[in-house]
Every structure is written in C-alpha cells, then in structure tokens.
Amino acid sequence: MEMAYQVLVFLSDPYNLLLIIGGTTLGVFIGALPGLGSVVMIALLLPFVVRMEPLPGIALTAVIYVAATYGGSITAILINTPGTPAAAATTFDGYPLAQRGEAGRALGIATFSSATGGILGILAMIVATPLLAKLAFYFGPAEYFALAVFGMSMLASISGNSVIKNLIGGAFGVLLGTVGSDLATGIERFTFDIPDLSEGIRPIQMMIGLFAGGELLRQSTQLGIKRELVADAVAKLPSWDDIKRLWGTVLRGSGIGTFIGILPAEGGTVAAMIAYNEERRWSKNKDEFGKGAIEGVAAPEAANNAATGGTMVPTLALGIPGGGSTAIILTAMLVLGLRPGPQLFEEQPEFLAGIFGAMLAANIYFLFLGMIGAKFFSRISMVPATFLWPMVFVMAALGAFSVQQSLFDVTLMLIFAFLGYFMRRYGYAPAPIVMGLILGELIEGSLKQSYLIYDGSLLAILQQPIALVFLALSVIGISSPLIGKLILNRKERMMPVGDPLDE
Amino acid sequence: MAKETEIDSGAGVDPDGDPVVQKAELVQALIIGGGAVGLFLLTFTFDEVSESLAQGIGPAVFPRAILLILIFLAVLLGYRALKPTLESAAKYKPAKSIPKIVYLSAGLLTLFVVGLNFIGALPSVVVFCVALSLLWGERRYGLIAVTFAIFTGAVYLLFDIALNTNLPTM
C-alpha cells in the first residue's frame, strides 16, 4: 500500500509526468530509428542525466529503455528492419503480415502485446525486487564476490555470439576497471603517466564511444541499403477474436521475458528469440510461422518488453546489471551517488516507487502513442543517415566533453568509438565490456575484503553457502554452451538415421 | 556505395570439405594474447607498496589474474582458429577488407576532435557535419545548409546556454 501511495505521489507531480511523456515519445522515436536504440540513446543522455536530480534522471533513462524496446517493432513490421536488436524476432512474422496488407493489425498486436508484457514485467519487478534485495541483507564480501562472478559467467550463455569472445570482452572490461590509482594503496596501474587516467577510465565517455561512436562507423558501411516502407499503416486495435487467440501467447511471452530478464547479462533480445522459438515449438500451426502468424508478433513483443522489468530486478536489488541498457542505467545511478541494494529500499523507498511508477506509466502511454502515432514513427525511420549520424556524433562528443569540460574525455570517447567498431566487426559485442567494467570493481573490491576477513584464506569463500551456490551456478553458466552441445550430440547419435532433427 | 570487398576466400572448408585455418580469428588471438602478455609484464613495473600498506592482496595481483584469464581465452581462440570444427567452419565468414568509407569517416571524427582544440566547438560542428554528410553521399546542398545551421544553433543553446558548458573556443 505504501508503495502504491508513493507511486501515485510520483505520478501526481506535473514535472514527472512531463518527463514520462517526453521520455516515452523520445524512446519510441529512437526505437524506430534503426541503429539508434535504447543503449545508444541512454549512453548519449548520460552526460545530461548525471546533472539531474537522481530520481527524475534515472526515471528518464528507464522510460526511454521501455519505450525504445517497443519502438523497435514499428520498423520491424513496416520495413523489415528491427529498430532495436530486441525486435529482430518480430520481423519474422510482422513483415510478412505487412506485405499481405495487414500492417495495421500487426502494429496493433505488437503494441498491445508490448504494453501487456511490459506491465506484467513491471508488476513482477515490483514484487521480486524487494524480495531479492532482502536476500542481499545476508550478503557479505564473499557473497558479493560470488554474485559478481556469476554475473560475468552469464556472458558465456548470451546467444548469438561466440562464448570465448563474450568472455574476452568481459575480461577486458574488468581489466579496464583496474586502470587508475589502486584504492587501497594509491599505486597507479596502467596509467602510462597520463594524469587524466589516475581516476580510472570514465565509464560515461567509454560507453558513449563504444555504443554511439562505434555505431556511426558501422553505419558508414550501410549507406547503400535502401529501406522501403511496405505499408503506410495506422495501428488497429486487436479484434476480440485476436485477443482470445493471443492471450496465452502474451502470457507465456511475458513469463519468459521476465525470467530471462532477471538473469544477469541476458536481456530483451535473448528473451524475444526464446519466446518466439517456444511459441513456434508448441504451436498447432507451426507452418504459419515465418509467413505471417500473429503469434509470431505477439510472443517476442510481449517477451522483450517484459524483459525490461525483469532486467531492472538484479540491477536495483543487487547492483548486477540485467543487460546492456541497465548496465548504463546502473552507471548513471553510481555516478549520482545511489548504491543499489537493500539500503536503497530502506533509505529511499520513494526512489524505487518513482522508477516503478515511471515505467508503468510509460507502458500505458506508449499503448496510446503507438495506436495513434505508428504512421508518424514509421516515417521517422526514413530520416537519412547522412543527416542523422553527424548530429549523433556531435552530441556524443560534446556530451562526453561537458561532464568534466575535458578534451581528454573526448579523445577517450573517440578511442572507444574505434574500438567499438572493430569489436563489432570481428564479432565481439560491446555490452560485455560494460558489464566487466561495472562488475570488475565489485569483484576486486569484495575479493580484497574477503581476503582480509578470512585471514588470507580465499578458500573460506567456498564455505559460505550463498557464495558456494553462486559459484556453482557460475561453473554451470560458463559450461552451459558446452553442456548444450553435448546434449545435442547425444540426441543426434540416438536418433535413427534419416530422421529430421527437430528445429 | 560502401560495399565491402572480399579479399580472403580461403576460410571455411577446403575442396575436400575439411575445415581450414581461420586466419582472421588467429590474428585476433595473437593480438589479444600478445597485448595481454605485454600488459602482464607491465604489472611488474608498478610501484612497490610501502610496508605500512602491504596488507592483503597487492595492487598487481588482481590485474595479473585477469590478464592470465585473457591469455588463456586468447589461446583457446587461437586453438579454435587452428583446429576449427566442421560446425564453426560452416559458420565462418571470410575476412573482408575494411571499406575505405570507414577510414575516411574515422579520419573526419579525428579531425573533429582535433578541431575542437584549434578552431573551437561551433566552427568544428559546422565543418564536421557538412563534411561527413557530403562524404556519405548527401547532395541536397540547401537542406544540408538549413539542417546543420539549425542544429549548430541548437547545440549552442543546449550546451552553452542551458547546460552552462564552456565549449572550447578558438
């Protein structure tokens, strides 16, 4: 009840409402622009957010995250190009639906499923976050060390990329976290006598460079790609028959999305793909998938938006980011002096209520915005890259400069822009670096504390039950791709020759 | 316009269907492994900790542990490149040269950052936006002029006036 009251207090402030409306509109706009997604946008906004009051600043990033995740579906359906990676699965059936003249129906279903999934994900977040945070009361350095290792181990199971490359990215991020003066001794590490590096790699500049700068260079190779709007449609509210047909799909997608979202390092993209595959696997009309099945739109859209709530759970409760966007939101929280965890719930319940309220309101608002504005947002995707990206880079560079008014920061951002491009080109996702940078500090700090607490015996960490569970889960997490392969090989061997493998 | 040119088609499988060495992956493994070894050696040049502070884990221990993990992962990457499975060979995409447009764009980004120091922020914004737009093939000169004039004004209002940032000047 107390929480509901505080949510209402937050939403009754006109400034907050304006922020939600503006942030949601901007988020859908950004989501509809291929190449710009919530990760790039939140990274670009970081220099501004860290100047705001903590609650409105973080609420704005959360709202953009929610709205951009939905916005990606509009272009996925109308131009066969997902605005965000999380909407990739929506193209499989959304675009065929649009091609056969049912773009309005597909958009309506995507909007309805996204909003429903998003709201269910946030309700789960409201319940799960305080519970998980209470668990954190039992956490000492050993448990935090094991939890952070578990978070890193989950990088191994992110689908779509090489396990080794994800782990290399994560380890590189951890290493970047060691640059600067060692907190305990003041000894400089990897600073190369550059005074600006004494305080370490600045995460804001690093993220702006990796995500926005790297993407600009990638976009320079995409200039020849022509995008065609297959339909100029207005979203149509799903019919009663469609709702009856889809309610189970939306609930399943929301469940999968919330669960996948809660797992550290996973996120909306993984959730949407799994939800799509599961829906197809259990569907009576498997053949329709890929040709314009409405379930193929509803499942991934419900899942990727439910995952936005899910990913916030470990972020707020434990300080372990649930994905790329939440890693940047967590960075903003830390820069603003907020430490996620049980203390945050005890000392600032109004902060969490505000975040919950903002995300809920954003889902409700984009339901209306999507219904009336899909036609407008689909046209935004046609903004030429020749105008958009020069402006994005200027905002990135001056944003990086504005935090400490330092040209060194702009140079740092530029170096990470080049790194971001090369990483993506050779199959290294940039998100693991950010995860590594954030979790690396936690790993090193808690390891050093544990060493002192247990008189130099790090094996004592294994005697802590919670830590042991997390470390065991880490081993499973790292070996999960291997285990999956072994199971598949075994299945193949047991299958009679000639039998087709189940997709 | 910016099509990537293929220069290495020797990856994947050979004419007999056997997987062949994945050169691009091998080069990555060598760069990562070599860099990690270099940084590992660098940790031995860190300043000594004074005796009064020499408790617990020293400042070089954690970076060394991470670098050892990186070296191990680079070795794994290299091994997989030398002995790829049929499955990875099938997925392997041949290395392609980096398109010229990427180098030119990267050069412009660098010039913009250098320009901030020498000609100031607002002139750099104008020159950079117009140059990148033209480089990327935009030829609607009127639209370029209007769009970037408005944008530069917006940048000034946002950073200089609203955020009170002392943007670099000439």
Side-chain angles (χ1 to χ4, degrees):
Chain A
M1 276 312 281
E2 180 67 21
M3 175 74 82
Y5 172 72
Q6 280 168 340
V7 167
L8 283 177
V9 168
F10 175 80
L11 293 177
S12 62
D13 186 332
Y15 172 68
N16 293 337
L17 275 182
L18 209 66
L19 207 71
I20 292 167
I21 291 171
T24 309
T25 311
L26 179 68
V28 178
F29 178 96
I30 293 303
L33 280 166
L36 272 182
S38 62
V39 179
V40 174
M41 191 62 213
I42 298 170
L44 280 175
L45 274 180
L46 273 181
F48 308 103
V49 167
V50 296
R51 290 159 185 256
M52 295 170 73
E53 287 292 312
L55 177 53
I58 301 302
L60 177 66
T61 58
V63 160
I64 287 175
Y65 174 37
V66 165
T69 305
Y70 157 68
S73 68
I74 298 174
T75 46
I77 291 167
L78 294 179
I79 60 171
N80 201 23
T81 306
T84 58
T90 310
T91 58
F92 303 158
D93 285 280
Y95 188 64
L97 270 168
Q99 275 180 314
R100 68 178 195 218
E102 294 185 82
R105 185 185 179 205
L107 285 170
I109 287 169
T111 309
F112 168 76
S113 309
S114 295
T116 311
I119 290 167
L120 290 174
I122 292 160
L123 292 178
M125 167 187 162
I126 292 173
V127 175
T129 312
L131 289 177
L132 197 61
K134 270 183 194 158
L135 183 72
F137 269 124
Y138 302 100
F139 283 20
E143 285 77 14
Y144 270 112
F145 167 76
L147 178 65
V149 170
F150 170 62
M152 292 299 296
S153 75
M154 293 305 285
L155 291 175
S157 58
I158 297 177
S159 59
N161 290 305
S162 151
V163 174
I164 296 175
K165 288 183 176 179
N166 281 335
L167 291 174
I168 286 175
F172 181 60
V174 175
L175 191 69
L176 284 176
T178 66
V179 173
S181 299
D182 176 44
L183 281 179
T185 60
I187 300 282
E188 300 224 326
R189 302 185 294 189
F190 305 121
T191 56
F192 305 100
D193 292 329
I194 300 169
D196 285 296
L197 283 179
S198 291
E199 288 173 28
I201 299 278
R202 287 160 196 156
I204 294 177
Q205 286 73 12
M206 182 189 106
M207 289 176 198
I208 294 174
L210 269 182
F211 293 109
E215 183 62 28
L216 177 140
L217 291 172
R218 199 184 70 84
Q219 288 290 328
S220 72
T221 64
Q222 314 278 313
L223 295 171
I225 296 172
K226 291 259 182 289
R227 295 192 181 110
E228 276 181 40
L229 205 59
V230 73
D232 202 8
V234 177
K236 287 180 191 157
L237 265 178
S239 65
W240 183 239
D241 283 343
D242 280 350
I243 291 176
K244 273 198 289 187
R245 186 173 150 183
L246 292 174
W247 71 269
T249 302
V250 172
L251 284 182
R252 277 190 295 276
S254 304
I256 290 171
T258 307
F259 176 72
I260 299 289
I262 290 174
L263 296 176
E266 309 295 336
T269 311
V270 179
M273 283 294 176
I274 292 178
Y276 181 87
N277 281 333
E278 289 308 306
E279 201 54 39
R280 187 177 56 175
R281 188 201 304 266
W282 301 108
S283 171
K284 288 174 193 159
N285 310 309
K286 276 195 186 83
D287 294 344
E288 274 184 40
F289 278 76
K291 296 172 190 160
I294 56 173
E295 291 86 351
V297 174
E301 280 307 308
N304 63 25
N305 270 79
T308 58
T311 54
M312 291 297 272
V313 174
T315 310
L316 294 172
L318 304 169
I320 304 289
S325 297
T326 45
I328 306 176
I329 294 174
L330 182 60
T331 304
M333 288 178 70
L334 296 172
V335 173
L336 285 165
L338 297 164
R339 185 151 187 83
Q343 285 83 7
L344 194 64
F345 287 78
E346 295 272 301
E347 292 159 14
Q348 299 190 48
E350 71 285 355
F351 174 82
L352 293 155
I355 302 295
F356 296 148
M359 289 177 76
L360 260 179
N363 273 284
I364 294 165
Y365 177 56
F366 81 60
L367 182 61
F368 294 103
L369 195 65
M371 285 298 170
I372 58 169
K375 190 172 175 176
F376 168 71
F377 288 114
S378 64
R379 284 171 182 241
I380 282 168
S381 64
M382 298 301 173
V383 171
T386 50
F387 288 100
L388 178 69
W389 285 96
M391 294 195 254
V392 167
F393 187 76
V394 166
M395 295 302 287
L398 297 184
F401 173 82
S402 71
V403 180
Q404 299 199 8
Q405 319 233 346
S406 154
L407 281 169
F408 175 79
D409 287 353
V410 188
T411 311
L412 197 70
M413 186 276 300
L414 186 68
I415 292 169
F416 278 105
F418 295 154
L419 184 71
Y421 169 74
F422 281 105
M423 284 183 61
R424 249 178 278 223
R425 182 177 163 79
Y426 293 107
Y428 298 82
I433 295 196
V434 178
M435 294 279 294
L437 185 76
I438 293 172
L439 294 179
E441 284 183 35
L442 185 61
I443 292 175
E444 184 177 13
S446 52
L447 185 68
K448 284 181 171 176
Q449 286 174 341
S450 302
Y451 185 86
L452 292 173
I453 291 170
Y454 301 119
D455 288 330
S457 168
L458 287 177
L459 283 177
I461 292 176
L462 297 175
Q463 288 162 3
Q464 315 308 311
I466 297 175
L468 186 64
V469 169
F470 278 123
L471 289 174
L473 287 173
S474 306
V475 174
I476 294 170
I478 288 176
S479 50
S480 61
L482 193 73
I483 295 169
K485 207 172 268 181
L486 285 174
I487 292 171
L488 197 71
N489 287 346
R490 195 181 149 88
K491 214 171 160 184
E492 274 180 53
R493 275 202 305 273
M494 287 169 70
M495 210 168 266
V497 180
D499 266 18
L501 265 175
D502 187 4
E503 275 185 288
Chain B
M1 142 171 208
K3 281 192 177 162
E4 301 200 346
T5 43
E6 200 172 294
I7 57 160
D8 177 8
S9 56
V13 290
D14 65 14
D16 298 330
D18 295 325
V20 296
V21 173
Q22 297 176 349
K23 289 178 199 164
E25 303 281 300
L26 190 61
V27 171
Q28 290 163 39
L30 288 172
I31 292 172
I32 294 165
V37 169
L39 289 174
F40 188 84
L41 295 175
L42 197 70
T43 61
F44 292 97
T45 66
F46 290 172
D47 292 342
E48 290 290 316
V49 184
S50 65
E51 275 191 28
S52 59
L53 290 171
Q55 288 178 24
I57 297 176
V61 174
F62 186 70
R64 277 181 201 152
I66 299 302
L67 285 163
L68 284 175
I69 292 172
L70 261 177
I71 292 166
F72 171 71
L73 291 169
V75 169
L76 272 183
L77 191 67
Y79 177 77
R80 279 175 46 134
L82 286 169
K83 305 250 178 214
T85 58
L86 268 175
E87 190 194 354
S88 77
K91 284 184 194 164
Y92 186 63
K93 288 178 189 160
K96 293 170 182 171
S97 62
I98 294 174
K100 207 190 287 177
I101 189 90
V102 175
Y103 290 115
L104 292 172
S105 304
L108 267 184
L109 302 189
T110 311
L111 281 178
F112 172 64
V113 174
V114 173
L116 287 176
N117 219 355
F118 289 99
I119 61 169
L122 296 180
S124 297
V125 169
V126 176
V127 174
F128 168 75
C129 287
V130 172
L132 190 66
S133 191
L134 290 173
L135 176 69
W136 282 15
E138 186 56 62
R139 293 295 178 264
R140 289 170 284 181
Y141 301 110
L143 195 58
I144 288 178
V146 172
T147 307
F148 293 130
I150 294 172
F151 175 65
T152 309
V155 164
Y156 172 73
L157 287 176
L158 176 65
F159 286 98
D160 223 59
I161 306 292
L163 294 175
N164 212 12
T165 306
N166 290 319
L167 289 175
T169 49
M170 210 180 329

